[in-house]
Amino acid sequence: MRRVKFLAIAIVAIVLLGLAVAPTYAQAQDVVVAEVDRNDITTDDILNLTVAIDSSLGDPSQPVLPVLDGFEVLGTSRGTQMTIINGDMSMQTTYRYSLRPVARGDFVIEPISVSSNGNVYYTAPIAVRVSQGTGLPSQPNSPLSLFPSLSNFPGLSNFPSLGNLPTLPNQPTSPSAPSLVPVDPAPAPMELSGQDFFVEAVVDNPNPFQGQQINYAIRFYQAINAPGQIEYEPPTFTGFWAKQVPEQGEYNIQAAGRNYHVTELKTILFPTIVGDVTIEPTSMGIPGDFFSRSMNLRSQPVLLDVQPLPDGAPASFAGAVGNYDIQAAVDVPTTVVNDTITWQVAVTGEGNIDNLADPLWPESSEWRAFDSEAVVDSRIEDGKVVGSRQYDRVVVPTIAGNIALPPIEFSYFNPDMGQYQTVSTEPIAITVESDGDDNIAVPPSPAINDNANAAATGIGPDILGMKDAPAKWHLASKPLIQQNGFWLLWTIPILVLAGHFGWQSWQRKRFDNTDSRRSQKAARNAQQALSAARKNSDGAYEAAGQILTTYLSQKLNQSVVGLTQTSLAQLLREKGVVPGLVDRVQNCLMLSEMGRYAPANADIASGDILVETKQIINELERSL
């Protein structure tokens, strides 16, 4: 019993000691700061999250990110910056995270935690609003350059693999240019009446169904060489999911008595909303030269009337529009109970493959299924988006025998036929063998030692009576809480707590007083530097400027190196320095600069600049 008593005391002491030395969670002030490059983004953008940690206070841990609702992490990077100013060293570690929004709405990046010196610091929460994008990757704010040709057209990021655009018919194409595809010439627009340059925008179907593919084309006509770089600003495809066609089409036509070279750029669109939708005009900036003015070409807006899908959709319809098929297979036709098989399902066809919804998976009590992410393969063939979505579902049979994986239905709307269609897989038979668990014999119960239980009184056929306690077990003479040792152990965590909080208080005062001590020592350091400068009169001008600049940095607790005269004067006025003294500071710094680079026999200013510097510092000390 005595050992049990001391064991209980030890456990209580350990628990209290652990509570005493547990990390103190403190709200981060300047130790850790988190910020984002933007608080209002679209689903096309990438959000950059930066976490900056003051590493000079110790060895901080890596930031612990909360659950990022509405975002996924694409990549991370880390950097460390060390700064030494007037002997004071500071170090900052920066973590950068690239986040991609996966949903629309208002989200909050919860506080990020960092541990340092036994403390846990938290950043402030960050609010981010995500709105619907255009379906295209985010573009830079400045206009983009179109048509890399004639060595003065840089590449266009909006249209990957954009080829060279010859400005005159029969001009050879650069061997290193991206893919150029000849296309059938389109009829010349009515508005083309002999201009040097012209741009038009067209779609192949102005009345599509919601989710049906349409082709948006920009055609640029040019009859002469452009004198410089053409700037291209694409439209915003609001209300569409967009996929760029990497190839660039080109052809030559004659219209209005002139030869035109035509470059055609295509974007595949899938309408996401119904009703009247307008695609904004695209614009191209043609630079001018000595003989011609610059001009800005704008295409006409494109009007669409997007039709809603008809009623009567089947139960398995989840929004797919196009033409699809579905197949299924298993990796093995025979397995055992609780073993796994892979149920491979593939949806193939043409349409918006990248955004198809998953099929409706059947369920059964004969097996358990575990879903997986779809492997998507989409491409453009003959101007249409085609591809496949493949699923590898893991199926675990739960009973033995012959079971069947039922058909999987997939419904879609076929815009060419104007009706819903349903395709399904064939049922798959699987033979499931027993895993042998039902043949395992139950081990016999251990024999009961009748001699050891002779004193026990039987209560029933399966229940024995309770044994008598051994004689060595006895009650304690005093309760545990009335013993001196118990209360003595309580003082240990109390002393540890008091020491911990005292050390924390001393640490806070030490860091809070760092700037104050630096400011108080600024004048003394400046006086010592002035005394040393008087012994070397050749460098008086340079020394005066350095001493005054260093004094101001230490006194104001911020670096003034690199500030313009106007910025420095404004800073001093904000600190309460009178205008006359501000002018003297500026004059002293100006004389210092002039004296550093003037010839040795030049008379820059009368008087001792070191004396003037000392007087300025004395007056600043009284003002600041």
Side-chain angles (χ1 to χ4, degrees):
M1 186 64 183
R2 184 172 300 172
R3 286 185 300 175
V4 175
K5 174 182 65 178
F6 283 106
L7 180 61
I9 295 175
I11 292 175
V12 173
I14 292 173
V15 171
L16 293 176
L17 184 60
L19 293 175
V21 298
T24 302
Y25 290 87
Q27 180 70 25
Q29 299 174 354
D30 295 331
V31 178
V32 55
V33 177
E35 59 183 6
V36 293
D37 57 345
R38 288 164 293 175
N39 295 94
D40 195 347
I41 63 173
T42 70
T43 53
D44 303 327
D45 299 325
I46 300 298
L47 183 68
N48 296 313
L49 171 64
T50 303
V51 181
I53 306 171
D54 185 0
S55 305
S56 59
L57 301 182
D59 185 15
S61 67
Q62 185 172 343
V64 178
L65 296 181
V67 176
L68 298 174
D69 185 22
F71 298 93
E72 64 176 348
V73 180
L74 298 181
T76 62
S77 62
R78 173 182 175 178
T80 303
Q81 180 181 6
M82 180 183 297
T83 305
I84 300 177
I85 300 177
N86 300 323
D88 294 329
M89 183 184 72
S90 62
M91 182 180 299
Q92 186 180 73
T93 303
T94 302
Y95 294 84
R96 294 179 177 86
Y97 303 88
S98 297
L99 307 179
R100 180 172 62 189
V102 296
R104 295 174 297 171
D106 294 328
F107 301 99
V108 175
I109 299 177
E110 299 296 336
I112 302 169
S113 62
V114 174
S115 301
S116 178
N117 291 336
N119 292 332
V120 178
Y121 299 93
Y122 292 91
T123 64
I126 302 174
V128 180
R129 170 168 294 180
V130 180
S131 57
Q132 178 62 47
T134 63
L136 289 172
S138 58
Q139 309 296 339
N141 295 330
S142 58
L144 298 177
S145 173
L146 178 71
F147 310 138
S149 69
L150 302 179
S151 74
N152 65 342
F153 293 132
L156 175 64
S157 59
N158 297 72
F159 295 90
S161 304
L162 189 63
N164 284 354
L165 172 63
T167 54
L168 290 175
N170 303 322
Q171 181 175 347
T173 302
S174 169
S176 61
S179 173
L180 291 173
V181 179
V183 296
D184 295 333
M190 298 288 295
E191 297 82 1
L192 186 60
S193 57
Q195 305 97 314
D196 292 337
F197 303 99
F198 183 77
V199 61
E200 71 167 343
V202 296
V203 293
D204 60 350
N205 182 7
N207 301 294
F209 285 100
Q210 182 182 12
Q212 180 182 0
Q213 174 182 328
I214 61 174
N215 294 322
Y216 174 85
I218 298 172
R219 300 189 183 113
F220 178 67
Y221 299 79
Q222 56 178 4
I224 62 173
N225 289 337
Q229 177 175 304
I230 300 175
E231 300 293 337
Y232 168 72
E233 184 177 348
T236 58
F237 296 110
T238 303
F240 298 88
W241 187 92
K243 190 176 184 69
Q244 300 161 353
V245 178
E247 293 83 7
Q248 170 185 324
E250 63 174 3
Y251 57 88
N252 299 321
I253 65 169
Q254 288 186 347
R258 304 189 70 178
N259 293 327
Y260 286 93
H261 186 84
V262 184
T263 300
E264 186 177 80
L265 307 173
K266 284 189 175 181
T267 303
I268 294 176
L269 303 177
F270 295 92
T272 59
I273 57 178
V274 298
D276 295 332
V277 183
T278 301
I279 301 177
E280 299 176 358
T282 184
S283 64
M284 293 185 181
I286 311 297
D289 57 10
F290 184 77
F291 301 99
S292 61
R293 294 181 178 181
S294 61
M295 65 179 68
N296 184 42
L297 302 179
R298 290 176 62 87
S299 69
Q300 73 281 10
V302 179
L303 305 180
L304 299 177
D305 183 13
V306 181
Q307 306 298 314
L309 299 181
D311 297 332
S316 57
F317 178 73
V321 178
N323 190 9
Y324 302 97
D325 193 11
I326 187 170
Q327 301 90 26
V330 293
D331 56 345
V332 291
T334 303
T335 186
V336 298
V337 174
N338 293 326
D339 201 355
T340 62
I341 61 174
T342 301
W343 191 4
Q344 297 175 337
V345 181
V347 178
T348 59
E350 62 183 43
N352 195 355
I353 295 288
D354 298 277
N355 291 286
L356 279 185
D358 296 340
L360 297 178
W361 305 115
E363 298 180 355
S364 174
S365 60
E366 298 177 340
W367 38 265
R368 302 190 309 272
F370 303 91
D371 296 335
S372 65
E373 292 289 336
V375 178
V376 181
D377 175 25
S378 65
R379 57 196 179 277
I380 299 175
E381 292 183 359
D382 298 330
K384 295 183 178 181
V385 178
V386 299
S388 64
R389 295 177 69 91
Q390 181 170 322
Y391 306 85
D392 290 338
R393 306 192 76 213
V394 177
V395 177
V396 181
T398 57
I399 62 174
N402 295 324
I403 66 174
L405 298 179
I408 301 175
E409 291 188 351
F410 185 80
S411 297
Y412 61 92
F413 178 76
N414 190 327
D416 295 332
M417 302 183 65
Q419 63 183 16
Y420 293 97
Q421 295 183 336
T422 300
V423 293
S424 62
T425 64
E426 296 293 333
I428 302 175
I430 300 174
T431 301
V432 182
E433 299 176 354
S434 173
D435 58 358
D437 287 347
D438 52 351
N439 297 324
I440 297 178
V442 178
S445 302
I448 299 176
N449 188 346
D450 294 335
N451 295 330
N453 297 306
T457 302
I459 299 176
D462 300 327
I463 304 176
L464 298 177
M466 299 181 63
K467 291 183 179 181
D468 295 333
K472 61 180 181 179
W473 290 5
H474 61 276
L475 296 176
S477 58
K478 291 183 179 181
L480 180 62
I481 59 175
Q482 295 181 6
Q483 298 185 30
N484 296 332
F486 174 79
W487 296 108
L488 182 61
L489 288 175
W490 269 95
T491 61
I492 296 177
I494 294 175
L495 293 176
V496 173
L497 279 173
H500 178 74
F501 286 115
W503 181 79
Q504 289 288 337
S505 177
W506 178 80
Q507 283 284 84
R508 285 193 295 268
K509 290 181 180 179
R510 182 168 68 90
F511 290 121
D512 291 342
N513 292 334
T514 300
D515 292 341
S516 178
R517 290 198 302 269
R518 185 188 301 116
S519 177
Q520 293 173 1
K521 294 191 300 183
R524 184 176 60 187
N525 294 338
Q527 297 298 340
Q528 294 175 355
L530 286 170
S531 299
R534 291 191 184 94
K535 300 177 182 180
N536 183 15
S537 58
D538 294 337
Y541 287 101
E542 181 178 2
Q546 290 180 351
I547 293 171
L548 183 55
T549 301
T550 301
Y551 167 80
L552 290 173
S553 298
Q554 294 179 347
K555 192 66 179 177
L556 300 176
N557 287 318
Q558 68 178 86
S559 176
V560 299
V561 177
L563 292 181
T564 63
Q565 293 280 355
T566 303
S567 300
L568 178 59
Q570 181 179 357
L571 178 61
L572 291 175
R573 293 190 189 97
E574 292 175 354
K575 297 296 182 179
V577 180
V578 296
L581 186 54
V582 173
D583 294 339
R584 291 178 62 187
V585 172
Q586 291 180 291
N587 292 335
C588 184
L589 293 175
M590 182 181 63
L591 288 175
S592 172
E593 289 296 319
M594 295 174 61
R596 290 175 58 188
Y597 303 106
N601 58 353
D603 183 14
I604 299 174
S606 60
D608 188 355
I609 190 170
L610 295 178
V611 174
E612 174 66 9
T613 302
K614 179 179 180 180
Q615 294 175 355
I616 291 174
I617 291 175
N618 290 336
E619 295 189 25
L620 285 173
E621 191 69 16
R622 290 190 292 269
S623 299
L624 298 174

